[in-house]
Amino acid sequence: MKGMRIAALCALFGAALTVSAQPAAKAPFTFDAMMKLDRIDEPQLSPDGKLVAFTVQTVDLPNNTKPTQIYVVPVDGGTPQRLTNDGNSNNRPRWTPDSKRIVFVSDRSNSSQIWSMNPDGSDAKPLTNLPTGADGVTVSPDGKLILMVSDVYPECEPPNAGPGAEYDPVCNKTKLDQDAASKMDARVYTSLLYRHWTQYQGKRRRHLLIQAFDGSGKIRDLTPGDLNTPPFSLEGAEQYVFSPDSIEVTYVANTDPDASTSTNSDLFTVAAAGGEAKRITTNPGADEGPLYSPDGKFLAYRTQTRGGYESDQWRLAVLDLGTGKMNSLADSLDRWIETYTWSRDSTRIFFTIDDHGTNPLMMIPAAGGAIRAIAQGPSSIGAMQFTADEKIMIYTEQSGSRPIEINKATSKGGPGVPLTHLNDAVLAQYQLSPLEKISVDAADGAKIESFLVKPPDFNPSIKYPVLFEIHGGPQGAWGESWSYRWNAQVFAAAGYVVVMPNPHGSTGYGQSFTDAVNADWGGRPYDDIMSTVDYVSNLPYIDKDRMVAAGGSYGGYMIDWILGHTDRFRALVSHAGVYDLQSEAGTTEELWFPKWEFQGLPWENPELYQKWSPSSYVKNFKTPTLVTHGELDYRVPVGQGEELFSALQELKIPSKLVQFPDEGHWILKPQNSQFWYATVIDWLNEYAKKSSPDNKLSPN
């Protein structure tokens, strides 16, 4: 797109991203209302620019499942068509280059395998039948190959196997059967990262496999050995990609000997036919999200410069594949790079950043230069894709008052066009309050922003209780994005003014602001939150005697810290909170995190651990507290919540412990989520205000 096209998009998005409040006569947006929403994800524009394939996850509350199906919608507009019906999970749609088939992952054959179908959903055929299952499919640009991931047994590989070694289905099937039949369940480890997120490490490793699209020839392993490749990631970036000529694959791997203390993932290339893998980045921090330019001359990716720090600034890098020279772009923005895509002529990169709670769209020349703002508004943009002529851009949009939908923008200007309206009918029935922004001054002069959500039928002459939600991270942020785990609209519907502060440590306000939480967990962030509490308590519609607070992960830590440092809140909720820093450091899986945040492990810096551990201030605890935790949480192990609850009980402080045996760091299963929301709201209501018969909070 030339200059005037970009200008047209600027005007277009300014109109497209406007979010307005719903009429006040509608019902409050409850948990049950949230469960009716269609959860849109993974939009994929067909190469011919005619269709967008995407996934829709719904909630089946009675069966406690979240089935996912694949849809398509015409780029020219029209009613989305559901393509899949078999199986509970159909995801990751990817087009063949001729736009005649959609390749996807499905569990319809009682295991996760790769399938393909016509764009109308007909003629569905399996492409794989791996005993170890298949996931994460990608189709080569020439349409002849598919790349996928599978958890395989490295012991089934030939000795000294190199990239391209043959995958042995017979051996892998035998090992699976042996493990299933074994009566002995002991785990034996001689190195760290033996468990991660919600799973213990078994005998299998995640590898990249490649095979012919038509099923001919052998399935080959491009990343044999003892490593999980690509490594675990919560970031969502693509971790492997074909080159435009389909000759090679670039992927992410972390080859450091101790994965529990290293964030040093690098990019590697390997021939699609197999051969020696080549490391192409040597940065001490993380490199991820490789994306070739359409002409195949450059590789864009995200990079962090500081090793061992998972919350270092994510920068946009471009590697010249001919010269090997790397150029870091957009550093002047001092913002994290989120999503990005190439222009079709390989001269520009369009990208989004994390900025003050939104994700605006920017553009920069691939060789470096002036940055242009393409779209800025009170919502967040992602998953941008262009048609071949660059006259249409497909993207997702969401806000704190509206879940993700798929939109399109045209270079002709005018308003943006929503391609999906799957949630319009549901949302039309309920009140959803727009997020409002407030700010207070920090001691260092920084502006501490918060998002505020008012309850339905808000009346400024009434005094309302207020719920402060503390985000996790600590390097995270609240903003204009939709959440199903900590949905402010649901809490507001219970009658609370919801305040979501972004204290020091939050992202989107510059890297120095983010770094300020390092070795200062209960310092400036706590002061920022309490300054926000002071400001909010003086608002004319707030009852300062009915304030409550809740948070998860680092937010749970802050709740635990608040317990020992103030009694201004009527009740607290600590979910998956860090209570004792020393025991947390000894049981969490990613040791790079405490090593960075507290400048070493407990025996190396005991004073800092003692200073910032909520358990050091247990004698000051007074506030009634609900403790919730998942037993499969290995990021913040369940013992943290149990230690906190034991202390509360011994001090005779009103408290309750709720544990979920089948959940990890997040509460995800529908009925568990339903119980969690109900329990949290009931607990807050008990202390902030007794529930009225309709289970809504009386504002008076």
Side-chain angles (χ1 to χ4, degrees):
M1 278 177 287
K2 303 301 181 184
M4 66 177 185
R5 290 180 177 175
I6 293 171
L9 278 176
C10 288
L12 178 156
F13 277 107
L17 300 184
T18 299
V19 180
S20 58
Q22 296 289 341
K26 299 172 183 177
F29 186 80
T30 62
F31 174 86
D32 289 340
M34 184 170 65
M35 293 299 100
K36 298 176 184 178
L37 295 175
D38 289 334
R39 307 179 184 190
I40 295 173
D41 200 5
E42 300 186 282
Q44 292 290 312
L45 178 64
S46 61
D48 63 11
K50 295 180 179 179
L51 294 171
V52 179
F54 60 99
T55 61
V56 175
Q57 184 183 80
T58 55
V59 175
D60 184 345
L61 196 59
N63 290 312
N64 203 30
T65 60
K66 294 188 287 188
T68 303
Q69 304 297 343
I70 297 174
Y71 286 64
V72 292
V73 63
V75 172
D76 289 340
T79 302
Q81 176 187 358
R82 177 170 164 173
L83 303 185
T84 58
N85 294 287
D86 297 332
N88 195 58
S89 177
N90 295 277
N91 57 70
R92 199 174 168 88
R94 294 296 186 269
W95 292 91
T96 56
D98 60 7
S99 301
K100 293 182 178 180
R101 301 286 288 182
I102 298 174
V103 179
F104 62 103
V105 179
S106 179
D107 66 353
R108 63 186 61 192
S109 58
N110 297 319
S111 69
S112 179
Q113 302 292 344
I114 311 303
W115 290 68
S116 77
M117 62 183 169
N118 289 328
D120 63 0
S122 64
D123 192 33
K125 297 178 179 179
L127 298 182
T128 65
N129 186 26
L130 278 64
T132 51
D135 202 349
V137 67
T138 292
V139 183
S140 63
D142 64 7
K144 296 179 180 179
L145 301 167
I146 57 171
L147 189 65
M148 59 200 142
V149 296
S150 184
D151 291 343
V152 307
Y153 288 88
E155 58 193 292
C156 288
E157 299 162 356
N160 302 315
E166 183 179 336
Y167 169 82
D168 187 339
V170 175
C171 176
N172 277 277
K173 177 66 165 62
T174 300
K175 296 294 183 184
L176 281 170
D177 292 342
Q178 290 174 347
D179 284 351
S182 176
K183 304 299 182 182
M184 195 281 291
D185 292 328
R187 303 186 184 103
V188 180
Y189 300 100
T190 58
S191 62
L192 290 178
L193 210 66
Y194 55 86
R195 64 179 184 178
H196 202 205
W197 196 240
T198 60
Q199 292 183 324
Y200 276 85
Q201 178 71 70
K203 299 176 183 178
R204 298 159 69 184
R205 299 292 183 268
R206 185 184 311 110
H207 286 182
L208 281 174
L209 306 184
I210 194 167
Q211 76 167 50
F213 186 93
D214 63 9
S216 62
K218 301 292 185 180
I219 301 171
R220 290 173 287 113
D221 189 337
L222 293 182
T223 58
D226 196 43
L227 292 179
N228 283 301
T229 307
F232 176 90
S233 174
L234 291 175
E235 294 295 329
E238 287 288 295
Q239 302 291 59
Y240 45 91
V241 63
F242 278 104
S243 60
D245 59 10
S246 304
I247 291 177
E248 68 179 15
V249 170
T250 293
Y251 63 90
V252 178
N254 185 339
T255 61
D256 282 5
D258 184 0
S260 72
T261 60
S262 170
T263 63
N264 183 27
S265 58
D266 282 312
L267 302 184
F268 293 76
T269 60
V270 63
E276 184 179 358
K278 177 184 177 184
R279 187 191 304 264
I280 60 173
T281 63
T282 56
N283 173 51
D287 300 315
E288 68 164 31
L291 184 65
Y292 283 91
S293 60
D295 62 11
K297 296 180 179 179
F298 303 94
L299 189 74
Y301 60 98
R302 293 203 314 171
T303 183
Q304 295 177 320
T305 61
R306 290 180 283 182
Y309 186 24
E310 67 177 9
S311 296
D312 192 20
Q313 181 179 347
W314 283 109
R315 304 167 187 268
L316 178 62
V318 172
L319 181 66
D320 187 322
L321 296 173
T323 66
K325 180 181 178 181
M326 188 273 275
N327 189 15
S328 183
L329 307 181
D331 291 356
S332 62
L333 289 175
D334 192 21
R335 293 292 186 270
W336 286 15
I337 302 298
E338 298 293 327
T339 58
Y340 44 96
T341 190
W342 286 91
S343 64
R344 292 293 186 149
D345 63 4
S346 301
T347 64
R348 289 150 296 144
I349 298 177
F350 293 82
F351 61 97
T352 61
I353 59 174
D354 181 359
D355 182 48
H356 290 260
T358 65
N359 296 130
L361 177 63
M362 320 294 283
M363 186 276 293
I364 190 171
I371 299 169
R372 298 285 298 274
I374 304 301
Q376 292 178 298
S379 61
S380 294
I381 298 169
M384 309 82 63
Q385 299 163 70
F386 290 98
T387 55
D389 59 8
E390 292 193 354
K391 292 182 178 180
I392 294 175
M393 183 180 76
I394 303 299
Y395 63 99
T396 59
E397 183 184 1
Q398 63 176 313
S399 72
S401 57
R402 191 172 183 86
I404 289 176
E405 295 282 358
I406 301 172
N407 293 356
K408 78 170 181 179
T410 68
S411 58
K412 296 179 180 178
V417 178
L419 289 181
T420 57
H421 302 266
L422 297 186
N423 291 308
D424 286 4
V426 172
L427 296 177
Q429 303 173 47
Y430 301 99
Q431 294 185 55
L432 291 108
S433 302
L435 272 61
E436 302 176 29
K437 190 176 289 187
I438 60 175
S439 68
V440 300
D441 293 328
D444 63 357
K447 293 289 185 182
I448 306 302
E449 294 184 347
S450 299
F451 289 92
L452 184 148
V453 182
K454 293 173 180 173
D457 299 325
F458 176 76
N459 184 340
S461 65
I462 291 177
K463 296 275 190 180
Y464 290 89
V466 57
L467 166 62
F468 292 88
E469 287 190 15
I470 316 301
H471 69 64
Q475 296 90 356
W478 297 119
E480 289 286 359
S481 60
W482 185 261
S483 172
Y484 290 98
R485 293 185 291 110
W486 287 87
N487 191 280
Q489 303 289 340
V490 172
F491 289 115
Y496 292 89
V497 171
V498 180
V499 178
M500 300 177 287
N502 283 332
H504 278 90
S506 301
T507 60
Y509 301 92
Q511 191 61 37
S512 63
F513 189 90
T514 300
D515 292 345
V517 73
N518 301 157
D520 194 34
W521 272 32
R524 276 176 286 187
Y526 172 75
D527 293 339
D528 295 342
I529 291 169
M530 297 311 295
S531 294
T532 303
V533 170
D534 290 339
Y535 174 87
V536 171
S537 66
N538 288 315
L539 293 173
Y541 51 84
I542 293 297
D543 186 342
K544 63 181 179 180
D545 295 323
R546 293 192 291 155
M547 298 190 298
V548 293
S553 195
Y554 172 80
Y557 163 89
M558 184 54 68
I559 295 299
D560 300 352
W561 184 261
I562 283 171
L563 261 170
H565 290 81
T566 182
D567 58 1
R568 293 183 66 180
F569 298 97
R570 295 279 296 273
L572 300 170
V573 179
S574 174
H575 172 73
V578 177
Y579 168 72
D580 184 83
L581 287 175
Q582 183 167 337
S583 59
E584 163 70 8
T587 54
T588 191
E589 8 87 297
E590 295 179 346
L591 289 184
W592 66 72
F593 187 74
K595 281 172 68 72
W596 182 278
E597 294 295 323
F598 301 104
Q599 301 170 356
L601 290 170
W603 56 88
E604 297 170 312
N605 204 348
E607 294 82 6
L608 202 59
Y609 278 83
Q610 180 76 10
K611 177 180 180 180
W612 296 123
S613 180
S615 62
S616 298
Y617 307 92
V618 66
K619 291 184 179 180
N620 299 330
F621 289 5
K622 297 178 182 178
T623 309
T625 302
L626 169 66
V627 183
T628 67
H629 222 112
E631 293 183 11
L632 300 179
D633 186 353
Y634 304 142
R635 185 61 43 84
V636 180
V638 66
Q640 295 292 304
E642 292 171 338
E643 288 185 58
L644 171 61
F645 181 64
S646 293
L648 292 164
Q649 286 285 299
E650 283 298 304
L651 293 169
K652 308 305 180 185
I653 296 170
S655 51
K656 181 184 292 187
L657 173 65
V658 177
Q659 293 184 185
F660 297 90
D662 56 349
E663 298 283 10
H665 202 51
W666 301 334
I667 308 304
L668 299 176
K669 292 182 171 61
Q671 291 183 17
N672 288 345
S673 179
Q674 181 184 44
F675 183 80
W676 183 86
Y677 269 99
T679 302
V680 169
I681 291 173
D682 285 348
W683 180 263
L684 298 177
N685 287 354
E686 181 178 351
Y687 293 95
K689 185 68 177 180
K690 296 297 182 181
S691 299
S692 58
D694 61 359
N695 202 37
K696 286 174 55 181
L697 198 71
S698 172
N700 294 316

